[in-house]
Amino acid sequence: MKPSLQVEKLIVATSNQGKLKEIRALLEPLDIQVLSPVDIDAAHIPNVVEDGETFDDNALKKAKAFYNAFHIPALADDSGLEVDALDGAPGVYSARYAGEPSDDDANNEKLLQHLQGVPPEERNARFRCSIALVTAEDQYILAHGACEGYILEEKVGEAGFGYDPLFYVPEQGRSMAELSKEEKNKISHRYHALQHLYSKMNK
């Protein structure tokens, strides 16, 4: 079922501060109060095991868990990097590609190792994002977005997080980690997923 468009506040189901900042910036034009779990009750944050087979599975599982825990609309995303030369890996395992606990540097190093010898024209990749918004027990929306690019042979740039330093964006002529926050928020997979969410809510 489709949730009501009248969402005055919501909780974002993440402890990732980089992701939280991006989502807050992207939702700012809607004048929605965006809360983190720590803003409400740091002692009772659900521990959601992201064991789904797809980004949709994980996003919806997280959003439902946080809605049930805090009883306010909950937004969750699951996102990751898909590399064509690796048959779509790391995919849903992007955050823990090099094992637990999640480590951006280790993940990037493993990705570079797996792509050794792969020529530039075969390093096509995309960031993909699924967003779930749950506003009631049986009301939710799923939305999707992607950002196309390819994987560099070494890290470039200091901004962003995750795989951003290795992800080259052809339309920008730079890596994702070389973009300002404002530039990234106009092209990112989360931006496109949120735009898809807006369109579905307004139908």
Side-chain angles (χ1 to χ4, degrees), residues 33 84 167 194:
Q33 183 182 8
D84 291 346
F167 189 84
L194 283 167

Side-chain angles (χ1 to χ4, degrees), residues 3-4 6-12 33 35 40 63 66-67 70-75 133-136:
S4 167
Q6 302 303 314
V7 177
E8 296 180 354
K9 67 178 179 179
L10 58 80
I11 185 170
V12 179
Q33 183 182 8
L35 303 171
I40 300 179
F66 276 70
Y67 174 81
F70 299 110
H71 304 291
I72 64 170
L75 183 147
L133 174 64
V134 174
T135 59

Side-chain angles (χ1 to χ4, degrees), residues 168-188:
Y168 184 82
V169 186
E171 65 186 86
Q172 296 291 322
R174 290 171 286 170
S175 80
M176 191 75 87
E178 292 180 287
L179 304 180
S180 68
K181 180 178 70 175
E182 292 75 21
E183 289 173 322
K184 180 178 178 180
N185 285 347
K186 291 178 181 178
I187 65 159
S188 75

Side-chain angles (χ1 to χ4, degrees), residues 31 37 40-42 48 67 105-107 110 127 131 145 158 161 202:
D31 195 28
I40 300 179
D41 188 351
V48 183
Y67 174 81
D105 289 335
N107 289 337
K110 182 174 181 178
F127 280 120
I131 285 181
E158 301 295 331
F161 61 97
N202 281 302

Side-chain angles (χ1 to χ4, degrees), residues 49-126:
V49 178
E50 297 180 41
D51 55 359
E53 296 184 0
T54 67
F55 295 127
D56 279 1
D57 291 342
N58 288 332
L60 188 55
K61 184 177 182 180
K62 286 188 288 186
K64 285 182 174 180
F66 276 70
Y67 174 81
N68 290 332
F70 299 110
H71 304 291
I72 64 170
L75 183 147
D77 90 316
D78 193 37
S79 55
L81 181 69
E82 296 178 343
V83 181
D84 291 346
L86 301 178
D87 296 324
V92 293
Y93 304 106
S94 292
R96 54 193 185 277
Y97 192 38
E100 297 283 6
S102 178
D103 182 284
D104 288 348
D105 289 335
N107 289 337
N108 282 316
E109 184 60 32
K110 182 174 181 178
L111 180 62
L112 288 176
Q113 290 175 358
H114 284 185
L115 288 174
Q116 280 186 350
V118 177
E121 64 271 18
E122 296 178 15
R123 298 169 78 99
N124 295 335
R126 70 206 49 81

